[in-house]
């Protein structure tokens, strides 16, 4: 926002459009990755590369890393936002289409609001309740359509668990002191990459390069 103007500035609008495009491509990219790499190893390799690049930005800009309670928040953020969420997402997308996964992940804001209201972090409004009802009906329709295409229920359930974990990450991180978002993400990604790598080894996946 610029001054008292209620409209977003041009830079914020451009950033929003880029974010929408990148997030939309994300699910397609995961499907491509799963065609060549085991799911957990593919996710780990992705976040290992991203952590290295992002850590370079942290060092270049001399950003402080989270400490104390903020460090705990960053660790939990990485656990829910990267490790658990993407483990379920990558595995679910071995059978679920990228379009259906993106529809389910679009429910994250409302799922977050519902959970936040249950724990007293936010107040649930009538608009939020109506939105949640629409989301629930939409998810039910998506499940029915996917079952028609012989997609096992467990894979759809995995994507939904990924949605739930992503929603929890936004709630958990608000319980701790704020730190720079880039520093929080580089730490969270690093933790997610290591945990996904351990999961890949435990699952007996081959760790080949793409």
């Amino acid at each position: 926002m610029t001054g008292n103007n209620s409209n977003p500035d041009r830079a914020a609008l451009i950033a929003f459009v880029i974010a929408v495009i990148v997030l939309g491509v994300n699910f397609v990219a995961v499907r491509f990755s799963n065609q060549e790499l085991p799911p957990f190893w593919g996710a780990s390799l992705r976040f290992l590369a991203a952590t290295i690049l992002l850590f370079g930005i942290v060092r270049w800009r001399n950003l402080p890393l989270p400490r104390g309670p903020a460090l705990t928040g960053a660790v939990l953020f990485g656990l829910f936002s990267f490790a658990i969420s993407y483990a379920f997402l990558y595995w679910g997308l071995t059978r679920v289409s990228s379009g259906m996964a993106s529809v389910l992940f679009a429910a994250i804001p409302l799922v977050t609001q519902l959970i936040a209201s249950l724990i007293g972090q936010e107040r649930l409004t009538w608009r939020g309740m109506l939105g949640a009802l629409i989301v629930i009906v939409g998810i039910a329709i998506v499940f029915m359509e996917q079952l028609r295409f012989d997609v096992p229920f467990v894979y759809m359930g995995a994507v939904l668990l990924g949605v739930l974990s992503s929603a929890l990450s936004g709630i958990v991180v608000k319980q701790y002191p704020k730190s720079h978002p880039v520093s929080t993400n580089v730490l969270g990604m690093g933790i997610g990459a290591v945990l996904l790598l351990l999961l890949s080894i435990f699952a007996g996946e081959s760790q080949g390069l793409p």
Side-chain angles (χ1 to χ4, degrees):
M1 302 300 177
T2 55
N4 294 324
N5 186 5
S6 61
N7 296 320
D9 58 33
R10 181 176 298 179
L13 189 58
I14 292 173
F16 175 76
V17 172
I18 293 174
V20 170
I21 294 173
V22 171
L23 289 173
V25 172
N26 176 51
F27 301 98
V28 180
V30 173
R31 289 279 291 179
F32 274 110
S33 174
N34 283 343
Q35 290 179 13
E36 186 176 349
L37 300 174
F40 305 136
W41 166 238
S44 175
L45 192 62
R46 167 187 175 177
F47 289 128
L48 282 171
T51 299
I52 294 171
L53 290 172
L54 203 59
F55 186 73
I57 295 175
V58 169
R59 299 304 300 167
W60 172 56
R61 296 187 58 189
N62 198 26
L63 300 175
L65 293 173
R67 298 178 181 275
L71 176 61
T72 302
V75 169
L76 292 174
F77 175 74
L79 176 65
F80 286 105
S81 184
F82 296 106
I84 298 175
S85 177
Y86 276 89
F88 281 121
L89 176 62
Y90 267 74
W91 187 76
L93 278 171
T94 59
R95 296 293 298 273
V96 177
S97 70
S98 56
M100 289 300 173
S102 65
V103 170
L104 294 176
F105 263 73
I108 287 178
L110 282 174
V111 174
T112 303
Q113 185 180 32
L114 284 174
I115 298 175
S117 64
L118 288 175
I119 64 174
Q121 190 179 85
E122 295 182 12
R123 186 173 60 87
L124 185 62
T125 63
W126 285 105
R127 180 182 296 180
M129 293 175 64
L130 177 60
L133 179 61
I134 294 174
V135 167
I136 292 172
V137 173
I139 290 175
I141 294 174
V142 167
F143 264 79
M144 292 173 62
E145 287 296 317
Q146 287 293 285
L147 291 176
R148 288 176 53 191
F149 292 102
D150 296 325
V151 176
F153 179 84
V154 65
Y155 290 92
M156 291 292 292
V159 175
L160 274 180
L161 287 174
V163 171
L164 178 61
S165 183
S166 290
L168 286 172
S169 70
I171 293 172
V172 168
V173 76
K174 289 184 68 175
Q175 302 294 323
Y176 293 89
K178 291 182 179 181
S179 58
H180 196 283
V182 176
S183 301
T184 300
N185 273 276
V186 73
L187 186 60
M189 278 188 186
I191 291 170
V194 171
L195 292 177
L196 286 165
L197 176 59
L198 293 175
L199 179 59
S200 174
I201 296 172
F202 180 78
E205 294 180 345
S206 60
Q207 283 78 45
L209 295 176

